[in-house]
Amino acid sequence: MLDADFFRRWMTATAASVDREAERLTALDSPIGDADHGSNLQRGFKAVAAALEKEAPGTPGGVLTLAGRQLISTVGGASGPLYGTLLRRTGKALGDAAEVSAEQLAEALRTGVDAVMTLGGAAPGDKTMIDALVPAVDALGDSFAAARAAAEEGAVATTPLQARKGRASYLGERSIGHQDPGATSSALLVAALAEAADE
C-alpha cells in the first residue's frame, strides 16, 4: 500500500529530476514553443517541494492536491494549469484514504489524465504530454517500471508527429522532427514515480 510519505517522495523526486533536466526541456521547447518549459516547471516543482516541507498532508490525495495547487499558482503558460489539473484531479480521485493501492493510483491517475485531455482538448497522437501519460497509465497495471518505460517510449514517439495542439501546432509541418517537451516532462514525472517505488 502507498501512503502519504510515498507520494511526498514522488513529488520530491520529480522536483529533483525536473531541476536536473530543466535545460534539456527548455532546449526541446526552443524550436517549437516559448523556450521556457524547463524553467517554468523547475520553478513550479521547487515550489511544490518547499510547500510539502512546510505542510505535510497526511493522505496521498492531500499531497497531490497541494502539489497541483502550487503548480497552478506558480507556473506560467499552459504547463501550470495542465500539470496542476493532472495532480489535483488525481488527488481528488484518491479522496481521504490514508493509504491507496497501486491499482487505485492507476485509476485515479486515469481520472487526472482524462481531465487534462478535456482541458487541453488533446488526444493521443496530437504531440502533447498525453502521448506519454496515456501509455503510462495503461502500463501502470503491470508495474511502475512498465509505466516508466511506456512513458519514455511515448515521449520519443512524438518526434515524427506533427503537433495538433498547443503552441507547437502553429508551426504545422515544421513541428515534425522535434520531441515534444510536455511529453518529455511527463515521462520524468512517471520515472520519478517508479523511483519513489524503488526506495
Side-chain angles (χ1 to χ4, degrees):
M1 294 296 279
L2 312 170
D3 60 6
D5 193 47
F6 172 87
F7 284 81
R8 278 197 296 274
R9 288 204 308 274
W10 176 22
M11 291 298 105
T12 307
T14 303
S17 179
V18 166
D19 201 42
R20 279 194 308 272
E21 300 285 339
E23 279 183 25
R24 180 168 79 101
L25 292 174
T26 290
L28 288 173
D29 195 32
S30 207
I32 59 172
D34 291 327
D36 59 1
H37 188 62
S39 53
N40 275 344
L41 278 190
Q42 190 177 31
R43 183 171 66 247
F45 276 101
K46 265 189 182 147
V48 168
L52 288 172
E53 261 181 44
K54 241 194 302 201
E55 177 195 336
T59 64
V63 172
L64 294 186
T65 306
L66 175 66
R69 269 206 318 269
Q70 285 296 323
L71 290 173
I72 288 169
S73 62
T74 54
V75 181
S79 303
L82 292 169
Y83 270 104
T85 296
L86 174 68
L87 295 179
R88 274 180 64 183
R89 290 303 288 273
T90 302
K92 284 202 171 117
L94 291 173
D96 296 325
E99 290 186 331
V100 298
S101 66
E103 292 74 24
Q104 286 169 314
L105 171 56
E107 272 173 44
L109 205 49
R110 192 176 294 283
T111 304
V113 172
D114 287 346
V116 171
M117 286 201 268
T118 303
L119 178 65
D126 284 344
K127 197 183 182 98
T128 70
M129 63 197 290
I130 295 303
D131 290 310
L133 291 173
V134 167
V137 170
D138 288 343
L140 199 52
D142 297 327
S143 69
F144 290 115
R148 170 174 29 201
E152 281 167 8
E153 280 168 29
V156 171
T158 61
T159 306
L161 299 177
Q162 180 171 329
R164 291 200 287 259
K165 290 287 167 199
R167 181 86 203 289
S169 65
Y170 305 154
L171 294 173
E173 287 183 4
R174 283 180 297 146
S175 65
I176 295 170
H178 299 283
Q179 186 169 318
D180 182 65
T184 307
S185 58
S186 293
L188 293 180
L189 179 76
V190 178
L193 177 61
E195 192 184 312
D198 288 341
E199 276 182 28

